[in-house]
Amino acid sequence: MYHLTKSLYLLATSKEEYSVLLLGLDNAGKTTLLEKIKELYLANPPRPRTTPIPPTVGQNVSTIPFPTLYLKLWDIGGQHTLRALWREYYASCHAIVFVVDSTDVPRIEEVKATLEEVVKDEGTEGVPVLVLANKQDRDESLEITALKDVIMPVLVKLGARDSRVLPISALEGLGVKEAVEWLKLRVMWNKESRPPNMR
Ligand SMILES: Nc1nc2c(ncn2[C@@H]2O[C@H](COP(=O)(O)OP(=O)(O)OP(=O)(O)O)[C@@H](O)[C@H]2O)c(=O)[nH]1
Ligand SMILES: [Mg+2]
């Protein structure tokens, strides 16, 4: 009886947890985005940092609670040598956020090739992909339409898979809530193909 009651209690109180990978080249703004999401959604966010964010070597993980689900965000280092590690995370993820530095025009072909490798990988099959055109607060950032011209041909290759390109400024928070709302909906819509963990 105790075990049955405990199981029922756990069933009633547990929530679905979805893992979201934050990928993108080094300096794209992944860690800045993670910090902004924590600031916007955590009841007790960490104190604003007073020093610049160092490049991520490895990963930062944060779980954001919402009334009906948890989003577990994995911010993974984007330096060239670290990108080979991304594949290790594909099998257990429910969505991918690919962050682009919209001011980094000289590396736009590298962005395209890297995104292509991610979406082509069999480990990401069926996973919703959100591309974030970051640093829109900067004057020299590429217009969202120009960025879409580069990115959309890659996303079209996804076929029926859910994908979107959104403009954001991770630093200022512009577009961040819209991005999070998109993610929450898409992971739930896709849950038959990628079931959540219960927590
Ligand atoms: N102006 C502006 N700067 C940004 C924005 N987002 C990030 N940055 C800056 O871009 C630089 C790199 O940001 P990070 O968040 O460390 O980039 P990252 O993608 O985590 O980089 P790696 O950890 O090396 O993969 C930092 O100087 C940030 O302050 C933005 O929206 N606007
Ligand atoms: Mg980082």
Side-chain angles (χ1 to χ4, degrees), residues 162-184:
D162 221 346
S163 63
R164 183 89 193 263
V165 182
L166 286 177
I168 66 156
S169 165
L171 200 62
E172 297 187 348
L174 167 98
V176 172
K177 285 193 171 170
E178 289 80 350
V180 169
E181 286 308 311
W182 191 91
L183 283 170
K184 281 164 59 187

PDB file of all heavy atoms in Angstrom, residues 162-184:
ATOM      1  N   ASP A 162      10.261  20.260 -37.882  1.00  0.00           N
ATOM      2  CA  ASP A 162       9.900  21.588 -37.426  1.00  0.00           C
ATOM      3  C   ASP A 162      11.145  22.465 -37.306  1.00  0.00           C
ATOM      4  O   ASP A 162      12.115  22.078 -36.656  1.00  0.00           O
ATOM      5  CB  ASP A 162       9.292  21.417 -36.022  1.00  0.00           C
ATOM      6  CG  ASP A 162       8.103  22.304 -35.841  1.00  0.00           C
ATOM      7  OD1 ASP A 162       7.913  23.206 -36.663  1.00  0.00           O
ATOM      8  OD2 ASP A 162       7.382  22.083 -34.868  1.00  0.00           O
ATOM      9  N   SER A 163      11.136  23.650 -37.909  1.00  0.00           N
ATOM     10  CA  SER A 163      12.284  24.538 -37.761  1.00  0.00           C
ATOM     11  C   SER A 163      11.837  25.985 -37.894  1.00  0.00           C
ATOM     12  O   SER A 163      10.782  26.277 -38.448  1.00  0.00           O
ATOM     13  CB  SER A 163      13.355  24.223 -38.800  1.00  0.00           C
ATOM     14  OG  SER A 163      12.846  24.465 -40.089  1.00  0.00           O
ATOM     15  N   ARG A 164      12.671  26.893 -37.404  1.00  0.00           N
ATOM     16  CA  ARG A 164      12.312  28.314 -37.402  1.00  0.00           C
ATOM     17  C   ARG A 164      13.590  29.139 -37.271  1.00  0.00           C
ATOM     18  O   ARG A 164      14.559  28.693 -36.664  1.00  0.00           O
ATOM     19  CB  ARG A 164      11.404  28.559 -36.190  1.00  0.00           C
ATOM     20  CG  ARG A 164      10.855  29.952 -36.047  1.00  0.00           C
ATOM     21  CD  ARG A 164       9.531  30.094 -36.787  1.00  0.00           C
ATOM     22  NE  ARG A 164       9.155  31.486 -36.917  1.00  0.00           N
ATOM     23  CZ  ARG A 164       8.314  32.114 -36.098  1.00  0.00           C
ATOM     24  NH1 ARG A 164       7.762  31.441 -35.100  1.00  0.00           N
ATOM     25  NH2 ARG A 164       8.020  33.378 -36.281  1.00  0.00           N
ATOM     26  N   VAL A 165      13.595  30.354 -37.826  1.00  0.00           N
ATOM     27  CA  VAL A 165      14.692  31.302 -37.596  1.00  0.00           C
ATOM     28  C   VAL A 165      14.095  32.508 -36.885  1.00  0.00           C
ATOM     29  O   VAL A 165      13.113  33.081 -37.356  1.00  0.00           O
ATOM     30  CB  VAL A 165      15.334  31.769 -38.925  1.00  0.00           C
ATOM     31  CG1 VAL A 165      16.504  32.708 -38.645  1.00  0.00           C
ATOM     32  CG2 VAL A 165      15.805  30.587 -39.763  1.00  0.00           C
ATOM     33  N   LEU A 166      14.669  32.883 -35.742  1.00  0.00           N
ATOM     34  CA  LEU A 166      14.166  34.037 -34.987  1.00  0.00           C
ATOM     35  C   LEU A 166      15.300  35.011 -34.684  1.00  0.00           C
ATOM     36  O   LEU A 166      16.407  34.581 -34.349  1.00  0.00           O
ATOM     37  CB  LEU A 166      13.557  33.580 -33.652  1.00  0.00           C
ATOM     38  CG  LEU A 166      12.202  32.884 -33.644  1.00  0.00           C
ATOM     39  CD1 LEU A 166      11.854  32.457 -32.216  1.00  0.00           C
ATOM     40  CD2 LEU A 166      11.119  33.796 -34.196  1.00  0.00           C
ATOM     41  N   PRO A 167      15.027  36.318 -34.731  1.00  0.00           N
ATOM     42  CA  PRO A 167      16.042  37.308 -34.341  1.00  0.00           C
ATOM     43  C   PRO A 167      16.043  37.494 -32.829  1.00  0.00           C
ATOM     44  O   PRO A 167      14.971  37.571 -32.224  1.00  0.00           O
ATOM     45  CB  PRO A 167      15.563  38.598 -35.026  1.00  0.00           C
ATOM     46  CG  PRO A 167      14.075  38.434 -35.175  1.00  0.00           C
ATOM     47  CD  PRO A 167      13.776  36.958 -35.209  1.00  0.00           C
ATOM     48  N   ILE A 168      17.224  37.538 -32.221  1.00  0.00           N
ATOM     49  CA  ILE A 168      17.292  37.787 -30.775  1.00  0.00           C
ATOM     50  C   ILE A 168      18.506  38.668 -30.431  1.00  0.00           C
ATOM     51  O   ILE A 168      19.431  38.836 -31.231  1.00  0.00           O
ATOM     52  CB  ILE A 168      17.398  36.498 -29.911  1.00  0.00           C
ATOM     53  CG1 ILE A 168      18.712  35.765 -30.144  1.00  0.00           C
ATOM     54  CG2 ILE A 168      16.230  35.581 -30.092  1.00  0.00           C
ATOM     55  CD1 ILE A 168      19.114  34.874 -28.971  1.00  0.00           C
ATOM     56  N   SER A 169      18.466  39.177 -29.213  1.00  0.00           N
ATOM     57  CA  SER A 169      19.672  39.701 -28.584  1.00  0.00           C
ATOM     58  C   SER A 169      19.746  39.027 -27.217  1.00  0.00           C
ATOM     59  O   SER A 169      18.952  39.345 -26.321  1.00  0.00           O
ATOM     60  CB  SER A 169      19.619  41.216 -28.414  1.00  0.00           C
ATOM     61  OG  SER A 169      20.634  41.604 -27.493  1.00  0.00           O
ATOM     62  N   ALA A 170      20.652  38.072 -27.106  1.00  0.00           N
ATOM     63  CA  ALA A 170      20.784  37.345 -25.830  1.00  0.00           C
ATOM     64  C   ALA A 170      21.214  38.297 -24.729  1.00  0.00           C
ATOM     65  O   ALA A 170      20.819  38.145 -23.571  1.00  0.00           O
ATOM     66  CB  ALA A 170      21.794  36.213 -25.987  1.00  0.00           C
ATOM     67  N   LEU A 171      21.997  39.300 -25.125  1.00  0.00           N
ATOM     68  CA  LEU A 171      22.518  40.234 -24.133  1.00  0.00           C
ATOM     69  C   LEU A 171      21.401  41.099 -23.554  1.00  0.00           C
ATOM     70  O   LEU A 171      21.282  41.274 -22.338  1.00  0.00           O
ATOM     71  CB  LEU A 171      23.567  41.129 -24.805  1.00  0.00           C
ATOM     72  CG  LEU A 171      24.565  41.834 -23.918  1.00  0.00           C
ATOM     73  CD1 LEU A 171      25.411  40.830 -23.163  1.00  0.00           C
ATOM     74  CD2 LEU A 171      25.454  42.738 -24.762  1.00  0.00           C
ATOM     75  N   GLU A 172      20.538  41.582 -24.414  1.00  0.00           N
ATOM     76  CA  GLU A 172      19.480  42.494 -23.963  1.00  0.00           C
ATOM     77  C   GLU A 172      18.161  41.790 -23.695  1.00  0.00           C
ATOM     78  O   GLU A 172      17.242  42.387 -23.142  1.00  0.00           O
ATOM     79  CB  GLU A 172      19.284  43.608 -25.003  1.00  0.00           C
ATOM     80  CG  GLU A 172      20.536  44.462 -25.145  1.00  0.00           C
ATOM     81  CD  GLU A 172      20.341  45.672 -26.043  1.00  0.00           C
ATOM     82  OE1 GLU A 172      19.313  45.752 -26.741  1.00  0.00           O
ATOM     83  OE2 GLU A 172      21.238  46.532 -26.035  1.00  0.00           O
ATOM     84  N   GLY A 173      18.055  40.557 -24.156  1.00  0.00           N
ATOM     85  CA  GLY A 173      16.830  39.797 -23.888  1.00  0.00           C
ATOM     86  C   GLY A 173      15.795  39.893 -24.995  1.00  0.00           C
ATOM     87  O   GLY A 173      14.767  39.210 -24.924  1.00  0.00           O
ATOM     88  N   LEU A 174      16.063  40.671 -26.022  1.00  0.00           N
ATOM     89  CA  LEU A 174      15.111  40.798 -27.127  1.00  0.00           C
ATOM     90  C   LEU A 174      14.846  39.435 -27.784  1.00  0.00           C
ATOM     91  O   LEU A 174      15.796  38.759 -28.184  1.00  0.00           O
ATOM     92  CB  LEU A 174      15.702  41.766 -28.175  1.00  0.00           C
ATOM     93  CG  LEU A 174      15.028  41.812 -29.534  1.00  0.00           C
ATOM     94  CD1 LEU A 174      14.064  42.976 -29.596  1.00  0.00           C
ATOM     95  CD2 LEU A 174      16.064  41.932 -30.650  1.00  0.00           C
ATOM     96  N   GLY A 175      13.579  39.047 -27.883  1.00  0.00           N
ATOM     97  CA  GLY A 175      13.208  37.811 -28.579  1.00  0.00           C
ATOM     98  C   GLY A 175      13.442  36.537 -27.792  1.00  0.00           C
ATOM     99  O   GLY A 175      13.098  35.449 -28.267  1.00  0.00           O
ATOM    100  N   VAL A 176      13.984  36.643 -26.583  1.00  0.00           N
ATOM    101  CA  VAL A 176      14.332  35.420 -25.842  1.00  0.00           C
ATOM    102  C   VAL A 176      13.077  34.676 -25.369  1.00  0.00           C
ATOM    103  O   VAL A 176      12.987  33.448 -25.475  1.00  0.00           O
ATOM    104  CB  VAL A 176      15.282  35.745 -24.658  1.00  0.00           C
ATOM    105  CG1 VAL A 176      15.488  34.535 -23.768  1.00  0.00           C
ATOM    106  CG2 VAL A 176      16.619  36.259 -25.197  1.00  0.00           C
ATOM    107  N   LYS A 177      12.073  35.423 -24.905  1.00  0.00           N
ATOM    108  CA  LYS A 177      10.846  34.749 -24.453  1.00  0.00           C
ATOM    109  C   LYS A 177      10.129  34.059 -25.620  1.00  0.00           C
ATOM    110  O   LYS A 177       9.599  32.965 -25.459  1.00  0.00           O
ATOM    111  CB  LYS A 177       9.919  35.751 -23.762  1.00  0.00           C
ATOM    112  CG  LYS A 177      10.402  36.117 -22.366  1.00  0.00           C
ATOM    113  CD  LYS A 177       9.358  36.835 -21.568  1.00  0.00           C
ATOM    114  CE  LYS A 177       9.831  36.965 -20.110  1.00  0.00           C
ATOM    115  NZ  LYS A 177       8.990  37.841 -19.315  1.00  0.00           N
ATOM    116  N   GLU A 178      10.128  34.706 -26.782  1.00  0.00           N
ATOM    117  CA  GLU A 178       9.500  34.094 -27.958  1.00  0.00           C
ATOM    118  C   GLU A 178      10.208  32.776 -28.296  1.00  0.00           C
ATOM    119  O   GLU A 178       9.572  31.782 -28.637  1.00  0.00           O
ATOM    120  CB  GLU A 178       9.579  35.024 -29.176  1.00  0.00           C
ATOM    121  CG  GLU A 178       8.693  36.253 -29.117  1.00  0.00           C
ATOM    122  CD  GLU A 178       9.269  37.397 -28.272  1.00  0.00           C
ATOM    123  OE1 GLU A 178      10.288  37.211 -27.558  1.00  0.00           O
ATOM    124  OE2 GLU A 178       8.687  38.489 -28.316  1.00  0.00           O
ATOM    125  N   ALA A 179      11.532  32.790 -28.190  1.00  0.00           N
ATOM    126  CA  ALA A 179      12.307  31.577 -28.484  1.00  0.00           C
ATOM    127  C   ALA A 179      11.945  30.462 -27.492  1.00  0.00           C
ATOM    128  O   ALA A 179      11.739  29.306 -27.880  1.00  0.00           O
ATOM    129  CB  ALA A 179      13.800  31.888 -28.412  1.00  0.00           C
ATOM    130  N   VAL A 180      11.842  30.804 -26.234  1.00  0.00           N
ATOM    131  CA  VAL A 180      11.524  29.793 -25.208  1.00  0.00           C
ATOM    132  C   VAL A 180      10.110  29.247 -25.424  1.00  0.00           C
ATOM    133  O   VAL A 180       9.877  28.034 -25.316  1.00  0.00           O
ATOM    134  CB  VAL A 180      11.692  30.392 -23.788  1.00  0.00           C
ATOM    135  CG1 VAL A 180      11.127  29.463 -22.728  1.00  0.00           C
ATOM    136  CG2 VAL A 180      13.168  30.689 -23.509  1.00  0.00           C
ATOM    137  N   GLU A 181       9.158  30.122 -25.772  1.00  0.00           N
ATOM    138  CA  GLU A 181       7.789  29.663 -26.024  1.00  0.00           C
ATOM    139  C   GLU A 181       7.758  28.697 -27.207  1.00  0.00           C
ATOM    140  O   GLU A 181       7.064  27.686 -27.189  1.00  0.00           O
ATOM    141  CB  GLU A 181       6.853  30.854 -26.304  1.00  0.00           C
ATOM    142  CG  GLU A 181       6.514  31.665 -25.061  1.00  0.00           C
ATOM    143  CD  GLU A 181       5.995  30.806 -23.903  1.00  0.00           C
ATOM    144  OE1 GLU A 181       5.098  29.979 -24.120  1.00  0.00           O
ATOM    145  OE2 GLU A 181       6.517  30.950 -22.776  1.00  0.00           O
ATOM    146  N   TRP A 182       8.503  29.022 -28.253  1.00  0.00           N
ATOM    147  CA  TRP A 182       8.567  28.133 -29.432  1.00  0.00           C
ATOM    148  C   TRP A 182       9.057  26.752 -29.011  1.00  0.00           C
ATOM    149  O   TRP A 182       8.493  25.729 -29.383  1.00  0.00           O
ATOM    150  CB  TRP A 182       9.502  28.750 -30.488  1.00  0.00           C
ATOM    151  CG  TRP A 182       9.452  28.080 -31.831  1.00  0.00           C
ATOM    152  CD1 TRP A 182       8.656  28.400 -32.884  1.00  0.00           C
ATOM    153  CD2 TRP A 182      10.224  26.932 -32.254  1.00  0.00           C
ATOM    154  NE1 TRP A 182       8.890  27.540 -33.946  1.00  0.00           N
ATOM    155  CE2 TRP A 182       9.844  26.634 -33.587  1.00  0.00           C
ATOM    156  CE3 TRP A 182      11.197  26.134 -31.649  1.00  0.00           C
ATOM    157  CZ2 TRP A 182      10.400  25.581 -34.313  1.00  0.00           C
ATOM    158  CZ3 TRP A 182      11.747  25.071 -32.385  1.00  0.00           C
ATOM    159  CH2 TRP A 182      11.348  24.805 -33.694  1.00  0.00           C
ATOM    160  N   LEU A 183      10.119  26.757 -28.196  1.00  0.00           N
ATOM    161  CA  LEU A 183      10.709  25.487 -27.756  1.00  0.00           C
ATOM    162  C   LEU A 183       9.723  24.658 -26.940  1.00  0.00           C
ATOM    163  O   LEU A 183       9.591  23.441 -27.146  1.00  0.00           O
ATOM    164  CB  LEU A 183      11.949  25.759 -26.903  1.00  0.00           C
ATOM    165  CG  LEU A 183      13.201  26.160 -27.655  1.00  0.00           C
ATOM    166  CD1 LEU A 183      14.258  26.631 -26.682  1.00  0.00           C
ATOM    167  CD2 LEU A 183      13.719  24.988 -28.490  1.00  0.00           C
ATOM    168  N   LYS A 184       9.040  25.314 -25.995  1.00  0.00           N
ATOM    169  CA  LYS A 184       8.106  24.582 -25.127  1.00  0.00           C
ATOM    170  C   LYS A 184       7.031  23.890 -25.957  1.00  0.00           C
ATOM    171  O   LYS A 184       6.704  22.722 -25.731  1.00  0.00           O
ATOM    172  CB  LYS A 184       7.457  25.555 -24.129  1.00  0.00           C
ATOM    173  CG  LYS A 184       8.368  25.899 -22.955  1.00  0.00           C
ATOM    174  CD  LYS A 184       7.906  27.113 -22.198  1.00  0.00           C
ATOM    175  CE  LYS A 184       6.523  27.003 -21.615  1.00  0.00           C
ATOM    176  NZ  LYS A 184       6.075  28.302 -21.038  1.00  0.00           N
TER     177      LYS A 184
END
